[in-house]
Amino acid sequence: MKKDNQASWIRKYRTVLILLLVFFLFLFAYMKPWPYMLYGPGSAESVHLRVETGHELEEKGAFLFTTVSTYSNPNIFSILYARFNPRMEVKSEETATGGATNLTAYRNLLAYMRDSSEANALMAAYATMGKPLDVKPQGVIVVALLPDSKARQNGLQEGDIITKVDGRDIASAKEISEYLTSKKAGDEVQVSGTRGKEKFEATVPLIAMEPDKRTGIGFQNETVLKVTPPDPVKFDFADTGGPSAGLMMTLEIIAQLTGEDLTRGYRIAGTGTISADGTVGLIGGINYKLMAADREKADYFLVPYSSRNESNWTLAQETVERLKLKPQLVKVSTLQEAVDFLKQLEPKAE
């Protein structure tokens, strides 16, 4: 009799039970994060509003730096939406971060790349104008850890900035290399410095690195530079990451400091890393940056170009053709090429 009552109760409330089950399954799917990263068109914003030099300049047009929109740890619905959206892409977290230790390490590395891009923009701009700068090394950034390195499991991660080794001040990649090669594989060193806004310490075993068996931590590194210009230059890119706004930053600095409106009245978008010597480097996500530039009605788009690697140029052409985008593509390999292109433009008719 009791079983009959239970069966009767289930039949009576079957619809409600099914709806509750569906609701909780939906809630679980909505709340559960997955180790993926979604990519799509970001923004195309005026650089003029984010770079101050103490020199006023009225621009009739605008330099637009472009970004990629990224979304980490999405739920299954966001992943499915991105899979079927021709203007989006899904990558595994490991692929997206280049195998970084964790998302925090990846974001710290991106923040360094942004800061380094600002320093390089200053050096490239002032070199083009023939003006001096004060440049000082102030640490060593961990860019990537090699497969044989034992540093990751001993507390070091990408994006860490090392300023001391065994209590000794370290300012450059050369200094840390010279100190570590004086030791032997298996020795341990204590490294310390900054991890984002925090301080860190780690005790790391040294290895014999291939191919020359030189003793070291086993990481790719760069010297962190502090660049102090004679002008009161300020950047406002704290909400971005990565080095790809470098070219557009540099053009804006030159325009403001020379007092010449290099935009010629056009909306000029672009992307590309910048080196201190003015070399424009390749970047990722140029297709999404082009979509953002098109949405903001850019007239031209400066595309990083290398004769040894035409991937940016090829993808830019394919994207413009496939989506019928309006910006006119311009190849640039160096800062000087970009400046020369801008200076030969006839002012845009109002």
Side-chain angles (χ1 to χ4, degrees):
M1 191 68 167
K2 188 175 181 181
K3 289 184 178 179
D4 289 341
N5 288 338
Q6 286 179 340
S8 176
W9 185 88
I10 291 172
R11 282 195 300 270
K12 183 178 179 181
Y13 294 102
R14 181 174 57 187
T15 302
V16 175
L17 292 172
I18 291 173
L19 288 175
L20 281 173
L21 178 62
V22 170
F23 171 77
F24 282 112
L25 286 174
F26 180 89
L27 185 64
F28 174 78
Y30 180 80
M31 298 293 291
K32 179 176 172 55
W34 291 84
Y36 291 93
M37 196 169 287
L38 310 185
Y39 291 79
S43 61
E45 299 180 42
S46 172
V47 186
H48 188 75
L49 302 174
R50 291 178 176 251
V51 175
E52 295 181 19
T53 63
H55 296 252
E56 295 295 328
L57 174 66
E58 183 180 348
E59 291 180 338
K60 293 184 178 179
F63 287 126
L64 306 175
F65 78 97
T66 52
T67 66
V68 177
S69 174
T70 60
Y71 179 42
S72 59
N73 296 324
N75 61 35
I76 191 65
F77 302 111
S78 297
I79 293 171
L80 289 172
Y81 175 78
R83 288 281 189 199
F84 292 101
N85 188 330
R87 294 194 173 211
M88 294 185 71
E89 185 179 5
V90 180
K91 291 184 180 180
S92 70
E93 188 175 289
E94 183 176 2
T95 299
T97 62
T101 302
N102 50 50
L103 276 177
T104 299
Y106 177 64
R107 287 168 180 150
N108 285 340
L109 188 57
L110 288 181
Y112 160 73
M113 289 179 178
R114 177 200 62 224
D115 294 345
S116 178
S117 184
E118 293 173 358
N120 284 338
L122 286 169
M123 289 188 284
Y126 277 79
T128 296
M129 295 181 293
K131 292 185 176 182
L133 276 175
D134 181 37
V135 181
K136 288 187 172 67
Q138 58 174 14
V140 176
I141 180 84
V142 179
V143 176
L145 295 165
L146 303 181
D148 293 338
S149 176
K150 298 178 182 178
R152 179 180 279 113
Q153 56 265 46
N154 284 277
L156 196 64
Q157 61 186 41
E158 299 86 352
D160 288 350
I161 296 176
I162 299 171
T163 55
K164 287 182 181 292
V165 178
D166 290 339
R168 299 166 177 255
D169 290 335
I170 293 292
S172 68
K174 181 181 178 182
E175 287 181 10
I176 196 171
S177 177
E178 288 177 348
Y179 179 71
L180 295 179
T181 52
S182 68
K183 295 183 169 293
K184 62 181 185 297
D187 287 350
E188 292 185 340
V189 293
Q190 185 179 66
V191 296
S192 60
T194 57
R195 175 174 293 164
K197 295 180 180 179
E198 306 294 328
K199 294 187 181 298
F200 83 94
E201 285 187 3
T203 301
V204 182
L206 301 180
I207 63 170
M209 300 185 298
E210 298 294 345
D212 56 4
K213 299 298 181 182
R214 183 167 45 91
T215 304
I217 291 173
F219 66 162
Q220 295 175 16
N221 59 75
E222 293 178 6
T223 299
V224 179
L225 298 176
K226 181 180 180 182
V227 179
T228 307
D231 302 280
V233 180
K234 294 181 181 178
F235 296 99
D236 181 19
F237 292 90
D239 59 336
T240 68
S244 63
L247 171 63
M248 306 311 290
M249 289 179 190
T250 311
L251 292 173
E252 180 64 30
I253 293 168
I254 292 173
Q256 289 189 27
L257 292 182
T258 61
E260 182 178 0
D261 182 5
L262 294 174
T263 70
R264 299 293 195 262
Y266 297 93
R267 291 176 66 76
I268 299 168
T271 187
T273 66
I274 194 74
S275 298
D277 64 1
T279 300
V280 176
L282 305 182
I283 51 80
I286 197 167
N287 47 336
Y288 304 119
K289 294 175 182 180
L290 265 166
M291 295 176 205
D294 181 71
R295 186 184 63 231
E296 298 301 323
K297 297 180 171 51
D299 298 295
Y300 295 96
F301 193 98
L302 306 182
V303 180
Y305 178 78
S306 168
S307 58
R308 293 175 296 176
N309 184 346
E310 299 184 1
S311 59
N312 276 185
W313 180 250
T314 301
L315 181 55
Q317 287 182 307
E318 290 173 352
T319 303
V320 166
E321 184 176 347
R322 177 170 60 88
L323 299 177
K324 309 301 180 191
L325 305 183
K326 300 240 175 88
Q328 184 175 328
L329 302 180
V330 181
K331 292 179 181 177
V332 288
S333 299
T334 65
L335 172 62
Q336 192 59 56
E337 285 182 7
V339 172
D340 290 345
F341 165 74
L342 297 171
K343 288 190 172 183
Q344 60 83 38
L345 286 174
E346 291 292 330
K348 188 175 184 179
E350 296 184 5

